[in-house]
Amino acid sequence: MHAMKDTEQLNVLAAEFRECQHVLTAIGDPTRQSILLTLIAAGCKDGMRVGEITQKTHLSRPTVSHHLRILKEAKVVNVHRVGTKNFYYIDPQHNSLFLLKNMMNHIEEYIQNHWEEEKG
């Protein structure tokens, strides 16, 4: 019975890894990490325009736009439009980073349970 529960838990983890793949890929890139840190440091309320992000990160405008698109597609970064201007931000309520947190909690729980069994 115990092995069945292990298999179920591992299947859930495998599904969570698949579900998180786009997020892991998006935040795994150092350039995107730099953009994320810039957005986090700026605060999430108003957001930042591409030009502001370019100034802070010293990256080219096309580079910033390219990486923002990837972060947006992965639902890590959100955008709101005011007229013709786009403002990028991280919404603490609506982003895919929580998927990673859930997955990491499940990994930790699984490892912890098996560590206890092996020691005991």
Side-chain angles (χ1 to χ4, degrees):
M1 183 73 172
H2 192 33
M4 177 106 88
K5 187 168 176 17
D6 286 353
T7 304
E8 282 176 35
Q9 285 181 310
L10 289 171
N11 287 340
V12 167
L13 283 176
E16 286 178 328
F17 268 113
R18 283 190 302 277
E19 188 179 18
C20 290
Q21 191 62 52
H22 64 289
V23 183
L24 290 165
T25 300
I27 67 170
D29 180 87
T31 301
R32 291 191 282 277
Q33 291 168 6
S34 172
I35 292 170
L36 282 173
L37 288 170
T38 300
L39 289 172
I40 290 167
C44 299
K45 285 230 186 283
D46 299 325
M48 294 180 81
R49 297 187 56 213
V50 171
E52 296 173 292
I53 298 168
T54 345
Q55 287 177 343
K56 297 269 187 200
T57 57
H58 307 290
L59 297 166
S60 74
R61 194 176 191 89
T63 299
V64 169
S65 293
H66 167 73
H67 288 290
L68 280 171
R69 187 175 73 249
I70 292 168
L71 289 166
K72 198 175 125 219
E73 287 171 0
K75 296 182 175 81
V76 174
V77 168
N78 303 48
V79 63
H80 71 270
R81 188 178 285 247
V82 179
T84 58
K85 299 174 183 173
N86 288 331
F87 293 87
Y88 294 89
Y89 65 101
I90 301 169
D91 183 334
Q93 303 300 316
H94 299 94
N95 71 62
S96 58
L97 295 172
F98 76 92
L99 295 171
L100 289 180
K101 184 176 179 185
N102 288 342
M103 181 183 72
M104 294 308 296
N105 287 342
H106 290 143
I107 290 170
E108 182 181 13
E109 188 179 297
Y110 185 87
I111 291 171
Q112 200 70 38
N113 288 341
H114 285 75
W115 178 260
E116 294 300 320
E117 288 171 14
E118 287 175 22
K119 281 174 51 179

